[in-house]
Amino acid sequence: MRVLFTTWAWPSHLYALVPMAWAFRAAGHDVLVASQPALYEETVRTGLPAVSVGRDVDAVGMVRGYVLPTANDPADGGGQAPRSGKGPRAMQMFYAHADSMTDELAQLARDWRADAVMFEPTALAGPLAAAAAGVPAVRVLYGTDLMARARGLLPQVLAPLAERNGVGEFDPFGLLTVDPCPDDFQVAVDHPRLAMRYIPFNGPGGPLHPPLGPPGTAGRRIVVTWGHTMARLAPERFLAGEVARALAAPGTEVVLAVTVGQAALLGDLPGEVRIVEDTPLHLLVDGADLVVAHGGAGTVLTSLRAGVPLLLVPQLPDHLGHSGRVLATGAGEVLTRDEATPERLRAEADKLIGGAAHRAAANKLREQMLGLPSPAELVAEIESRVVACAG
């Protein structure tokens, strides 16, 4: 089978597809990953075959348009883009990416003779291109199904692109949805869903040298990470250094996970903070007492797979959605940007580390995750459904 994977040019969305793409490749299927030109080099770094389609879109500029407001935002908006057009900002952005990719992606699906198109939930060029090429589409979630409520709206939103590519009636959610979230963490959905064990891919990289000591050797361990997005939007939105300074104290080891490019944004840090650059998060969280972060799906699921509770400060609507599920399941606490003062961060961290309930909730989700079939175990099931649909 020939399986075409697609996402728009955002690294964390690509990372969510990598385990499934490698599972198909390891099973002997042909795999190709297609995205906008800006993601080509990052895709190549995953070891997967890659191709560019469409044109780049100013994703950073559009994401700035839906940063959650705070009481301390500067008068100039702190890098926040003005609102333009009608409808939700996020939907405007997803449409812009689909508009930039659909035509070439559909042609690629035909020319490459794809048997199926697998897409992350915001890459709406995926189901359109699959429909245009006459092959099934399979949606692969990267976290909480935040698009579930938009299902009925999407055909209308995408109608101009569908008409342009000769597509009539189609399902923007495709044949089925592959879901890496355990039942307790996922929102209620009414579409076909195939549960999958979450396998973290947090970017290329290897273990630390020297490694972290065994858990507990330096007191309690807190991992702080702020993902890839916020530093790209505006330096003042990147709170990792500020949070690490608030939490550093004798008897507390703070492991601050950043990219090389983010290190310059951290400022002066006390000796209790160890800066770790370009190390995949899943190599850092095992044995941690707490993860403090922004609420990105990859960070949340990677932490929960290790059974580690979370303290989250969401700054984007999707961060808010994932954080809400952490709060609902009891696996952590959530602060707004305005609430996240040094004193409140320390108090919440003490409460989360000192109590057993949040750790127990995180461990419950971990056990649910580990009980689900791996991507490799799902390949044959997906293949059979694709073949049956094509037949």
Side-chain angles (χ1 to χ4, degrees):
M1 196 162 73
R2 300 167 75 85
V3 187
L4 179 61
F5 286 79
T6 191
T7 175
W8 51 277
W10 211 252
S12 57
H13 293 203
L14 166 68
Y15 295 166
L17 296 174
V18 169
M20 181 58 77
W22 268 111
F24 269 93
R25 197 167 190 207
H29 299 289
D30 290 326
V31 166
L32 183 62
V33 181
S35 186
Q36 294 149 323
L39 199 65
Y40 177 80
E41 294 298 333
E42 189 67 23
T43 306
V44 169
R45 293 178 67 212
T46 70
L48 292 164
V51 65
S52 295
V53 295
R55 64 186 184 279
D56 288 324
V57 171
D58 181 16
V60 170
M62 285 187 285
V63 172
R64 285 195 187 110
Y66 63 103
V67 173
L68 300 175
T70 73
N72 296 317
D73 282 343
D76 64 0
Q80 189 172 43
R83 187 185 182 105
S84 62
K86 297 180 180 180
R89 289 187 177 105
M91 197 60 66
Q92 294 174 36
M93 180 177 70
F94 300 152
Y95 181 88
H97 287 294
D99 183 39
S100 79
M101 294 175 61
T102 299
D103 300 1
E104 290 188 22
L105 187 65
Q107 189 61 49
L108 173 64
R110 289 188 289 262
D111 292 345
W112 191 63
R113 304 188 308 281
D115 296 297
V117 176
M118 300 190 75
F119 65 102
E120 54 89 358
T122 65
L124 300 176
L128 281 167
V135 299
V138 176
R139 200 170 64 125
V140 182
L141 297 183
Y142 51 76
T144 305
D145 197 346
L146 301 177
M147 296 288 285
R149 291 182 297 176
R151 188 181 188 186
L153 175 68
L154 289 176
Q156 178 183 350
V157 170
L158 299 173
L161 303 182
E163 181 178 359
R164 196 168 80 199
N165 283 274
V167 173
E169 188 173 329
F170 78 106
D171 189 338
F173 279 19
L175 174 67
L176 75 149
T177 292
V178 178
D179 187 352
C181 293
D183 289 344
D184 286 355
F185 193 80
Q186 190 53 275
V187 296
V189 297
D190 60 359
H191 47 267
R193 171 176 171 261
L194 197 59
M196 178 185 73
R197 185 187 316 159
Y198 176 72
I199 304 295
F201 181 86
N202 312 120
L208 281 180
H209 297 289
L212 297 174
T217 55
R220 60 187 195 172
R221 178 178 295 160
I222 300 175
V223 176
V224 176
T225 180
W226 231 254
H228 294 271
T229 298
M230 302 314 298
R232 297 177 68 184
L233 302 186
E236 61 270 22
R237 307 284 184 185
F238 184 69
L239 308 182
E242 179 179 330
V243 169
R245 278 187 290 276
L247 297 175
T252 298
E253 178 188 22
V254 177
V255 179
L256 180 51
V258 297
T259 67
V260 169
Q262 294 170 350
L265 303 177
L266 298 176
D268 294 331
L269 294 166
E272 293 89 356
V273 177
R274 178 172 176 182
I275 301 173
V276 176
E277 297 179 353
D278 290 335
T279 298
L281 184 63
H282 72 273
L283 299 176
L284 302 174
V285 294
D286 282 340
D289 296 287
L290 179 67
V291 171
V292 185
H294 56 303
T299 297
V300 167
L301 292 182
T302 298
S303 302
L304 293 177
R305 190 178 188 274
V308 181
L310 294 129
L311 175 57
L312 301 173
V313 185
Q315 294 170 270
L316 291 171
D318 59 313
H319 298 167
L320 195 61
H322 306 313
S323 299
R325 297 310 302 158
V326 169
L327 193 62
T329 56
E333 293 290 347
V334 180
L335 299 175
T336 67
R337 174 66 186 93
D338 294 326
E339 292 171 337
T341 62
E343 296 77 17
R344 187 72 183 276
L345 287 165
R346 287 191 290 269
E348 294 295 335
D350 289 344
K351 182 176 71 173
L352 287 163
I353 295 173
H358 295 93
R359 171 71 69 169
N363 273 319
K364 180 183 177 182
L365 292 173
R366 167 183 162 81
E367 293 304 316
Q368 290 180 6
M369 286 180 168
L370 296 180
L372 296 174
S374 70
E377 294 174 286
L378 291 186
V379 168
E381 172 68 16
I382 296 171
E383 181 184 7
S384 67
R385 295 199 190 194
V386 166
V387 170
C389 179

